[in-house]
Amino acid sequence: MGRIVLRLDRMMVERGRSLNWLADRVGITNVNLSKIKNNHVTAIRFSTLAAICEALDCQPGDILDYVEDDTPECSGL
């Protein structure tokens, strides 16, 4: 099974925006935005995703990637 990877850091660099600037625009703390940026979250609210996209003038697909998991599943040995 694959996983969703956030590429927020890449989009912030492309847009020339800092963590502090984006946190202020989105209305969340720097700590929570940093967790999102560094893929240390298991979920993100659609309202937060929408606010990020609005602030960075991008689409969700610009910051969300699906990555195939290369690890084989256990065979139950």
Side-chain angles (χ1 to χ4, degrees):
M1 179 188 312
R3 60 191 168 93
I4 301 296
V5 176
L6 292 157
R7 305 287 187 200
L8 181 57
D9 54 346
R10 179 182 64 198
M11 186 56 60
M12 289 171 62
V13 168
E14 286 179 18
R15 298 292 195 253
R17 298 301 184 179
S18 69
L19 186 74
N20 292 335
W21 181 89
L22 187 56
D24 185 50
R25 296 276 191 223
V26 173
I28 62 176
T29 66
N30 289 357
V31 171
N32 286 337
L33 186 61
S34 180
K35 287 178 183 179
I36 293 169
K37 181 173 110 25
N38 294 310
N39 283 292
H40 293 277
V41 294
T42 56
I44 183 170
R45 290 184 175 155
F46 283 149
S47 59
T48 302
L49 181 59
I52 290 170
C53 289
E54 183 177 342
L56 294 177
D57 189 30
C58 67
Q59 295 294 313
D62 295 330
I63 58 175
L64 298 173
D65 281 341
Y66 175 77
V67 178
E68 291 283 338
D69 192 0
D70 291 337
T71 12
E73 293 199 28
C74 293
S75 60
L77 297 176

